[in-house]
Amino acid sequence: MNRTLSTLLLVGAVSAVAGCASRDASLTAGVEDPCATVQGLITEYPEGFPSYRGKATNVRNITTYRAKEDLVAGHCEIWQWGSGDTAYSCSATAPSIDIARDRYLKSVNYLMQCLGPDWSNVEMTRDRDGEADGQLTRFTSDEHPGLSVSAHLIDEKRGPTRRYTNYLYLGTASQDPGTSE
């Protein structure tokens, strides 16, 4: 896949998922070769993504690092829990369900292409406190036990308003948001 097409797919896909909230429909890739970054993150997952960590912020039992490489420009972080679990996560709020759904589907398709045939995936309903709040596709590989790569579409009703958010998650399976393990 050429770099331009790869970047366009990732922006659509990963913009479905970035670290800080954004109501802007257009997001940009923060790296030239998103698939290479995904592969690098997978390689560094067992050590907690050391070369991807930027400035740290500590709050109770969680340390949050600014990502040195953002799959979605300005929207990605690395989380490390007191238990030692780590995750690279990007998130972005979408202005409508249509944009959020499009980002989600593009993210899933992109991840399928980037991860390749050694990864299996399952689509499931997200769950928050026993209630459905969207959908996710989780990718796993026997070659990377305990690692989850997932794309999320969250349709959250808060009082009279709705909020649509996309996440891209790469990290400890038990910490994957919206799932229980």
Side-chain angles (χ1 to χ4, degrees):
M1 180 179 305
N2 71 39
R3 182 175 290 167
T4 303
L5 178 57
S6 173
T7 300
L8 288 174
L9 286 173
L10 177 74
V11 170
V14 175
S15 54
V17 247
C20 303
S22 171
R23 295 205 51 87
D24 185 1
S26 62
L27 299 170
T28 59
V31 294
E32 282 193 40
D33 188 348
C35 193
T37 298
V38 169
Q39 295 300 330
L41 288 163
I42 289 168
T43 299
E44 287 199 14
Y45 162 71
E47 290 81 40
F49 316 108
S51 69
Y52 292 89
R53 292 179 181 186
K55 183 180 176 189
T57 303
N58 296 303
V59 178
R60 297 186 189 193
N61 290 332
I62 299 174
T63 301
T64 306
Y65 298 90
R66 181 74 196 102
K68 286 184 179 178
E69 291 187 34
D70 285 334
L71 287 170
V72 181
H75 293 274
C76 303
E77 299 175 321
I78 295 169
W79 290 61
Q80 182 175 26
W81 289 267
S83 64
D85 292 344
T86 59
Y88 177 96
S89 178
C90 305
S91 66
T93 301
S96 72
I97 187 62
D98 293 333
I99 290 171
R101 188 175 296 114
D102 184 58
R103 289 176 178 176
Y104 170 74
L105 294 172
K106 287 179 180 175
S107 294
V108 169
N109 289 330
Y110 181 80
L111 288 170
M112 281 183 189
Q113 291 176 21
C114 181
L115 295 173
D118 293 337
W119 290 77
S120 59
N121 67 74
V122 60
E123 185 173 337
M124 59 184 84
T125 301
R126 279 183 48 96
D127 179 72
R128 175 177 279 171
D129 300 326
E131 301 218 6
D133 76 342
Q135 64 191 81
L136 71 97
T137 299
R138 174 188 260 183
F139 295 83
T140 57
S141 170
D142 291 339
E143 293 180 25
H144 304 281
L147 174 62
S148 175
V149 177
S150 59
H152 300 245
L153 165 59
I154 302 169
D155 179 355
E156 183 178 35
K157 185 158 176 66
R158 289 188 176 181
T161 62
R162 287 193 104 109
R163 181 175 153 173
Y164 310 102
T165 307
N166 296 105
Y167 284 98
L168 176 65
Y169 176 91
L170 193 152
T172 305
S174 63
Q175 299 286 356
D176 196 345
T179 64
S180 55
E181 200 157 295

